[in-house]
Amino acid sequence: MNSKMIGFDRQLKKEWLDLVIEMLHDGETRDKITEALNKYIGNDLKGKDAIRKTRLVINRMWFNPNSQLEFLRRSALELFNEARTENATSIIHWGMCIACYPYFRDIARICGRLINLQGYFKRFQVRQRTMEIWGERPVVRRTVNHVIQTIMYWDLIEQKDASGKYVISKFIEIKNPKLISWLIKAYLASRESKTASIDDLRNDPVLFPFSIDINIDSLLLNKEIELFNQGLKSEILILRTIDHTDDGIT
């Protein structure tokens, strides 16, 4: 029986995540952020338990101890103003979700692959393929919808018609080199090996709502990404382990 932890079992609105990043960026304490988040989520959800469980999904991305995510959190906050100016905070949310939650990553990849193949996906198609990876469990049947609804809340997909087809509603072309570099780091962090070829990066449907221009020269200047050649044509990216113990989020 597949017993991998789902983790991502709530629907997350973009404005909730924007609030957390903005308050962290402004140096607010975790207690103040929790208080504000409870009120904000409470405008949409009723019941203390529903609010608490939703907040827990967000906490795993931004607060729970995780050395693998600390450098992503730190650099995301440094980029917040640029992402907000370009109306592109969904890039940060996407990167944090795929890096923190393999479940979100796998469903995003399935959605992207189906869109690449047929131009759309249906919920039952995503549910069926997700159960092949995560097991035929009731929790999987239920939470696939949470991930799809979350992506809809971020205005990246929409339901096309009554037939239940979902298509890309907003294709985001990322031109800011800093945001591109950050998303690549998040992508590498989402992979068990923390490595990927340039071809993997260009072709992986997990990043299906985004278009990025991969500049090798810019990547070579990034201290958290190492690039080396494997054979004559294959270039491999490796995510370096950076210790940010002394400058973590409070």
Side-chain angles (χ1 to χ4, degrees), residues 23-176:
M23 293 187 72
L24 281 169
H25 178 267
D26 292 343
E28 298 290 355
T29 65
R30 178 170 179 175
D31 287 344
K32 286 187 177 181
I33 295 172
T34 297
E35 181 181 357
L37 194 55
N38 284 344
K39 291 180 180 179
Y40 212 26
I41 296 174
N43 291 331
D44 295 290
L45 300 179
K46 302 305 178 185
K48 291 183 179 180
D49 195 49
I51 295 171
R52 179 186 62 83
K53 289 180 178 178
T54 300
R55 196 181 68 245
L56 285 175
V57 177
I58 298 172
N59 285 352
R60 292 189 191 105
M61 285 189 280
W62 288 104
F63 296 108
N64 288 15
N66 188 330
S67 60
Q68 295 295 321
L69 292 181
E70 195 60 47
F71 77 97
L72 277 181
R73 293 168 174 165
R74 179 177 178 272
S75 52
L77 295 181
E78 293 171 353
L79 288 171
F80 173 67
N81 280 333
E82 294 181 55
R84 178 168 53 180
T85 300
E86 299 179 24
N87 196 27
T89 54
S90 57
I91 297 168
I92 293 177
H93 303 327
W94 193 274
M96 291 302 296
C97 281
I98 65 172
C100 184
Y101 290 108
Y103 189 66
F104 185 101
R105 176 203 65 200
D106 288 348
I107 293 175
R109 182 174 283 126
I110 290 166
C111 292
R113 184 175 291 121
L114 287 168
I115 287 174
N116 289 344
L117 287 172
Q118 58 192 29
Y120 66 88
F121 68 81
K122 292 188 174 183
R123 289 187 186 236
F124 83 87
Q125 295 176 315
V126 178
R127 188 180 304 115
Q128 181 180 43
R129 286 161 176 78
T130 302
M131 288 192 294
E132 292 172 0
I133 301 171
W134 287 83
E136 296 189 16
R137 295 180 280 164
V139 66
V140 174
R141 293 179 181 274
R142 183 178 72 254
T143 53
V144 164
N145 291 332
H146 295 334
V147 175
I148 293 173
Q149 186 61 50
T150 293
I151 301 173
M152 287 186 68
Y153 279 150
W154 299 354
D155 294 326
L156 296 174
I157 59 172
E158 62 184 358
Q159 187 168 339
K160 184 178 181 180
D161 50 41
S163 67
K165 294 179 180 179
Y166 291 84
V167 298
I168 294 176
S169 59
K170 182 187 294 184
F171 191 70
I172 299 178
E173 185 178 1
I174 311 174
K175 297 182 179 180
N176 186 316

